Amino acid sequence: MKRSMSFCFRGHLYLFFLLLPYISLYSQVGIGNTNPNPDALLEIGDATTNTKGLLLPRVDLLATNNPSPLSANIQGMVVYNKNTVADVTPGYYYNDGSSWVRIATATVPSDDWTKLGNPGTSNTTHFLGTSDNMAMRIKTNSLDRFEISSGTTLANGGRLWAYADGTAASPIYSWSSDPNTGMYRNNPDILLFATAGSERLRLLANGQIAINNGGPIAGDRFTVNGTSDESVINGYATGGNGIGVYGENATTNGVGLYGNTAVGFGVIGASTGGGYGVVGDNTGTGRGVIGFSTSSGYGVQGQNDATGIGVFGASVGVGNGVIGQNTGTGRGAMGYNSANGTGIQGQVDGAGVGVFGTANHNSGFGGYIRNQGTNGVGLVASGSNAGLLSLSGTGATLNGSMGGVGFSTSATGTGIGGVGNNGSSITTLTTGSGVAGTGNSGVYAQSNAATGIGIVAVGNNSTNIVMPVNGAGIAASGTRLGVYGYAGLGSRVNGNRGNYGGQFILDTDNDITTNATNTGTRATAVLAGFDNIAAAGTGGSPPVLTAADSYFGGYFSGGNVNNATPSYAFVGLRHNTNAAGSSGTDYKIIGPGSVSTLINDAQGIPRIMYAPETPEILFQDYGTGKLVNGEARINIDPILKEAIFVDDKHPLKVFVTLEGECNGVYVTDKSADGFTVKELQGGTSNVPFSWQLVANRADTKDASGKVTSKHVGLRLPVGPGPLQSNAEKAETILLQAEQNNSILLKEATIRETSKKDLPKKRTNQNDSAMLSKEKSDTNSTMEKEN
């Protein structure tokens, strides 16, 4: 055995000396190769070696995170694994210094995407794309085709951008099985859609739309072209109140629906049921439907075979179309129609009254109008030549330059009263009012103009009406007080939390019910309020910290209220108060923002300055003094003395700055009365100095000594959190007024309305005199007719 080992050693030694010249000269090793590649440390075989390979160590790995059979992870180690266990399978693996990594094959999963696809993927962890803020570009034939844009969030990234516009024959967005159908553009800000290789729809940047046409016709918002004998636009309505095609124009002399033809019918309407063949609606100074005949035909012909008019009255002079009088408990005039006709119709073409009723008994009615239909209308009245409009289910519909006016002849009376929610009684002011409403919502007002105002209110007998140019829900003006808010339940009980004298909310999407990240409330203001304003604890809400019922004069916030913590501040806050509201801790202004002010620089530009803030409630004072023979006594201002608190736990802090040479100084004899400054080493210098003191603020107490605002001992106390904005969206019902075509109106003459005939728009309370005059004239006319 020794001889064999000696031989082996001598043989290896001989081989070493044999290879030594090559190693020293070339620094490469060749096995079966006398001329190894100069870039290789080791080359096995040469160009003639084509029948044998390299056989690496074959081991049994246990898992990619287990270095066994190695003693430790060694970076660069390569082996062939024979084992199938845990997450390893037979194949080549290399060690990256921390674990084994599989050298991929076409059928084994890896971290790389292969041309034949990858098995074993998970849509929650694997993806095709980038992991940094870089866009991903897709090319074919080395040409840019699409790009998925970058972005730091889902909201501002991930757009799919095309690098070509496309054509009708080859839309940029289409289908592999239908490549000539899809979406494309031909110029910036123009979107087109194609089917079967032909343009079908075009949407311009200004919102114009064209169908089956190269572009919309000038003046059209919507242009559709049809071929021969096609119906370009058809409207079908199957409901009893449906409208196939509806056209409306609210402008003077405008056209709601216009039909033009050389031969045939410009507009034709037909009804085979209870609907209307043609309905004309006018909200300006024109006419809903007008017909002219210059021969023996009919300008407009109407025919009714069943549901006529119960009572019809017409007057072409100064008389009354219909007049009814009752001196007992009956009715001056009553009309009844059990079908779809008219109970009473009165018409006058002169200065008379179409329908006039009077009653001389307390239990009588000058006029009694009733509609027993489920959605019927009791009375339809029109003024200012405005035509007749009806609103389903109403007791009375009034239409005109001023729809209706109510006058009270009593000094404490009510002009108009309204009762909602199926009520049978009304609550009015004892001092009287123009309008009184009783119901779940006493008064509801809505403006249908983009810059309109729901309610305009003027107080203090002011004639100056101020309204915002962008409109508002309420615009209130007065010479002494514009808006007054009162909340009567503010005692410290849980049920009163969240009661405020006034509250204002700024929303983002005009929908108080949506509170997503990009919607919801952005600013709030609350005036004269009581609430539990304890901040949320570490775990959010719930749990919350101990309740902190507080009163405050104002609360203001800005920022995302629903999905984040906004910037907020309480003003005039008594925090954590008692039941009487007479104690707690008082704050002028408190919130998470910085205390700051503004100054102007040399160019007049405002610059922000910030105030220092401390974890305790402190007072500061500054002053100057002078050592006299090495000593000076500083007395604290007597007013400030009463406002600070000094003891062993809350000492007076004094800072001295010398303004001359001496041995140095120290401060002694500190109290709420003052302090003494002495020179070190018994010096006797006479030098000036400046000083600053800091002391804790004393508690605020009333005359009896009771603490009304706690200050001493507060250090980084728990503060108030933001108020929760509580509001809900009320459902609204849209009642659409419709032209009442069942009433036949007689018109004596047809003329264009001139500007001098237009009804005057009432702009301020100076018109009250005109209203009084109109009322007086009406009364005199009634008395004369009676």
Side-chain angles (χ1 to χ4, degrees):
M1 183 67 179
K2 292 181 180 178
R3 184 169 51 192
S4 175
M5 292 177 61
S6 176
F7 174 79
C8 180
F9 173 75
R10 287 195 300 268
H12 289 172
L13 185 63
Y14 172 79
L15 179 63
F16 170 76
F17 285 106
L18 182 65
L19 295 176
L20 181 61
Y22 296 98
I23 296 174
S24 61
L25 291 175
Y26 299 105
S27 297
Q28 292 90 31
V29 176
I31 298 178
N33 188 330
T34 61
N35 185 24
N37 190 292
D39 291 326
L41 291 175
L42 172 65
E43 180 177 357
I44 301 174
D46 56 15
T48 64
T49 304
N50 53 19
T51 61
K52 296 182 180 181
L54 175 65
L55 185 61
L56 293 180
R58 288 142 290 174
V59 299
D60 290 326
L61 297 181
L62 300 180
T64 57
N65 60 357
N66 189 338
S68 180
L70 273 64
S71 60
N73 288 311
I74 301 174
Q75 188 176 15
M77 184 70 68
V78 180
V79 299
Y80 181 89
N81 173 52
K82 302 181 298 176
N83 205 6
T84 300
V85 64
D87 59 346
V88 296
T89 57
Y92 287 101
Y93 285 78
Y94 71 90
N95 196 291
D96 63 1
S98 62
S99 64
W100 293 105
V101 181
R102 176 65 184 250
I103 300 176
T105 65
T107 59
V108 178
S110 73
D111 292 334
D112 301 318
W113 291 98
T114 67
K115 290 188 293 184
L116 299 179
N118 291 54
T121 60
S122 170
N123 61 0
T124 60
T125 57
H126 301 122
F127 63 93
L128 180 65
T130 64
S131 59
D132 55 3
N133 191 19
M134 296 296 294
M136 190 184 81
R137 189 167 299 182
I138 299 173
K139 294 185 177 185
T140 61
N141 196 26
S142 297
L143 297 176
D144 292 332
R145 302 302 186 186
F146 289 96
E147 181 173 304
I148 300 176
S149 68
S150 62
T152 57
T153 65
L154 290 176
N156 64 17
R159 274 66 169 177
L160 179 61
W161 293 335
Y163 279 88
D165 290 338
T167 63
S170 298
I172 193 65
Y173 299 102
S174 60
W175 290 263
S176 60
S177 61
D178 196 6
N180 60 359
T181 295
M183 181 176 67
Y184 66 102
R185 73 168 190 172
N186 62 358
N187 280 299
D189 296 326
I190 298 180
L191 187 63
L192 300 99
F193 294 83
T195 61
S198 298
E199 177 188 332
R200 301 303 183 193
L201 185 145
R202 177 177 297 203
L203 178 61
L204 303 187
N206 63 0
Q208 286 182 287
I209 300 174
I211 295 179
N212 292 337
N213 190 53
I217 297 175
D220 285 4
R221 301 303 301 169
F222 183 65
T223 300
V224 182
N225 282 352
T227 59
S228 177
D229 295 329
E230 279 187 341
S231 297
V232 176
I233 296 178
N234 275 340
Y236 299 94
T238 58
N241 296 319
I243 299 174
V245 177
Y246 177 81
E248 179 178 347
N249 189 309
T251 306
T252 302
N253 297 325
V255 178
L257 182 64
Y258 178 77
N260 183 23
T261 183
V263 179
F265 303 96
V267 176
I268 183 172
S271 173
T272 58
Y276 305 100
V278 175
V279 175
D281 183 8
N282 176 46
T283 58
T285 60
R287 293 162 178 83
V289 176
I290 185 172
F292 295 93
S293 175
T294 57
S295 184
S296 59
Y298 302 95
V300 175
Q301 176 177 333
Q303 180 175 334
N304 190 296
D305 296 327
T307 56
I309 299 173
V311 177
F312 177 83
S315 173
V316 294
V318 296
N320 302 309
V322 175
I323 183 172
Q325 181 174 351
N326 186 284
T327 57
T329 59
R331 298 169 176 84
M334 177 178 179
Y336 176 78
N337 190 298
S338 60
N340 295 328
T342 303
I344 296 178
Q345 175 173 331
Q347 178 175 333
V348 62
D349 295 324
V353 179
V355 176
F356 178 82
T358 182
N360 296 324
H361 193 279
N362 290 337
S363 299
F365 301 93
Y368 178 86
I369 302 175
R370 179 182 181 186
N371 190 315
Q372 295 178 321
T374 303
N375 295 314
V377 180
L379 173 66
V380 178
S382 173
S384 304
N385 195 29
L388 295 180
L389 293 176
S390 65
L391 195 59
S392 299
T394 57
T397 300
L398 310 178
N399 183 38
S401 60
M402 181 176 293
V405 178
F407 294 96
S408 172
T409 58
S410 171
T412 59
T414 302
I416 296 177
V419 180
N421 308 106
N422 199 29
S424 59
S425 62
I426 186 171
T427 302
T428 62
L429 290 174
T430 57
T431 56
S433 63
V435 177
T438 300
N440 293 349
S441 297
V443 176
Y444 170 77
Q446 179 182 0
S447 170
N448 57 9
T451 57
I453 299 175
I455 296 177
V456 179
V458 182
N460 308 117
N461 197 28
S462 174
T463 59
N464 184 28
I465 302 176
V466 181
M467 297 181 291
V469 295
N470 292 326
I474 297 177
S477 307
T479 58
R480 298 185 179 182
L481 188 62
V483 177
Y484 179 79
Y486 171 79
L489 296 177
S491 60
R492 188 189 172 212
V493 296
N494 293 352
N496 290 341
R497 290 173 176 172
N499 289 359
Y500 314 129
Q503 183 177 11
F504 303 86
I505 297 176
L506 175 66
D507 201 10
T508 54
D509 59 351
N510 200 32
D511 187 353
I512 197 65
T513 63
T514 57
N515 296 314
T517 302
N518 294 323
T519 60
T521 302
R522 289 295 182 269
T524 63
V526 176
L527 303 178
F530 166 74
D531 209 341
N532 169 23
I533 59 175
T538 303
S541 178
V544 296
L545 303 182
T546 303
D549 286 339
S550 306
Y551 292 101
F552 50 89
Y555 170 83
F556 307 90
S557 73
N560 193 320
V561 173
N562 307 108
N563 300 285
T565 301
S567 173
Y568 63 93
F570 290 88
V571 179
L573 172 68
R574 173 154 287 180
H575 185 248
N576 200 16
T577 186
N578 61 358
S582 59
S583 69
T585 300
D586 295 343
Y587 299 92
K588 290 181 290 187
I589 301 175
I590 184 171
S594 300
V595 178
S596 58
T597 187
L598 292 174
I599 62 173
N600 287 340
D601 62 15
Q603 289 75 36
I605 300 174
R607 301 288 185 170
I608 301 175
M609 294 186 65
Y610 300 95
E613 300 183 65
T614 66
E616 299 178 61
I617 303 177
L618 304 174
F619 280 160
Q620 291 181 298
D621 197 9
Y622 306 85
T624 60
K626 185 176 182 180
L627 294 176
V628 178
N629 295 324
E631 183 174 330
R633 177 65 182 177
I634 303 298
N635 295 319
I636 295 177
D637 189 301
I639 297 177
L640 178 62
K641 169 185 173 181
E642 300 300 324
I644 63 175
F645 181 82
V646 178
D647 65 4
D648 292 338
K649 292 184 178 180
H650 306 86
L652 184 72
K653 293 90 172 176
V654 180
F655 307 90
V656 176
T657 302
L658 291 170
E659 298 176 356
E661 289 190 1
C662 70
N663 295 326
V665 296
Y666 66 97
V667 179
T668 185
D669 297 330
K670 296 188 295 181
S671 69
D673 296 320
F675 58 91
T676 300
V677 181
K678 288 187 176 183
E679 186 176 359
L680 295 172
Q681 301 177 1
T684 59
S685 300
N686 298 292
V687 296
F689 61 88
S690 58
W691 55 266
Q692 174 188 355
L693 69 82
V694 179
N696 288 83
R697 180 178 182 177
D699 294 336
T700 302
K701 301 179 181 180
D702 59 16
S704 66
K706 180 181 178 181
V707 175
T708 59
S709 180
K710 180 65 178 175
H711 302 141
V712 178
L714 292 181
R715 179 175 177 83
L716 296 174
V718 175
L723 285 180
Q724 298 300 313
S725 177
N726 296 320
E728 61 181 2
K729 181 178 180 181
E731 295 183 357
T732 58
I733 300 176
L734 178 62
L735 301 177
Q736 178 67 47
E738 298 179 352
Q739 187 76 34
N740 193 335
N741 284 345
S742 62
I743 301 177
L744 301 180
L745 295 178
K746 177 182 179 184
E747 187 165 85
T749 59
I750 299 173
R751 61 182 177 85
E752 293 297 325
T753 304
S754 62
K755 291 184 178 180
K756 67 180 181 180
D757 295 319
L758 293 176
K760 180 181 179 182
K761 182 179 180 181
R762 306 188 191 280
T763 57
N764 55 47
Q765 287 190 340
N766 290 332
D767 288 332
S768 60
M770 181 180 295
L771 286 174
S772 299
K773 182 179 185 301
E774 293 177 358
K775 177 183 176 183
S776 175
D777 294 343
T778 303
N779 288 337
S780 61
T781 302
M782 295 292 186
E783 293 171 357
K784 180 176 68 175
E785 294 295 338
N786 191 32

